[in-house]
Structure formats: C-alpha cells, structure tokens
Amino acid sequence: MNEIFLGKARHWLLFVVVAVCFWLTGIYHLHVSEFNIFVGITMALAVMLVFSVIVDYRPGDRVTREELPEPDGD
C-alpha cells in the first residue's frame, strides 16, 4: 500500500478528519447559514494541516512517485 498512498499514515488520517468536518458543516448548512463560523473552521483546519505537515517533514521523505530533477544553474 505504500506505493499507492505516499506519505505518512497520520497525514491520511488528518485528511479523513478534515473530510468528516466538511461533511458535518455541509449537513448543518454552515456555509450558507453561519458563514463566519464556516470560514473559521476552514481556516483552523487549513492551519492545522499545514502545520502538521511542516512539523512532520524530515529531509529525505518521499513526496512524489518519481525523483524530482535537480534544477539547472540558469
């Protein structure tokens, strides 16, 4: 499964948590009835996700299937 799902398992778990949060906000129609709360939830989830990926990243972690080419000196 590591060849299909790149990245750490906790990142995929966070993806599922965010999907469930967005599903719940959709069920309660927060995006139309309480837009400010919806934006707050969206921003908080985005900050949490970015921060968790930055904290967990270690040099040498695999992030793509193919190797990235080295940039030219141009």
Side-chain angles (χ1 to χ4, degrees):
M1 291 302 276
N2 287 340
E3 292 299 318
I4 297 172
F5 298 106
L6 296 179
K8 298 177 179 157
R10 68 181 141 254
H11 294 166
W12 287 100
L13 180 64
L14 285 172
F15 175 75
V16 170
V17 168
V18 168
V20 167
C21 287
F22 281 141
W23 180 74
L24 288 172
T25 58
I27 292 294
Y28 293 112
H29 305 287
L30 290 182
H31 58 290
V32 288
S33 63
E34 299 290 337
F35 186 72
N36 291 336
I37 293 173
F38 174 74
V39 169
I41 291 169
T42 302
M43 293 302 284
L45 288 172
V47 168
M48 179 190 70
L49 285 174
V50 169
F51 185 72
S52 67
V53 170
I54 288 173
V55 167
D56 281 347
Y57 177 75
R58 300 288 177 252
D61 283 350
R62 187 172 168 202
V63 293
T64 61
R65 295 193 191 288
E66 292 83 24
E67 292 292 324
L68 295 175
E70 291 295 322
D72 294 341
D74 296 339

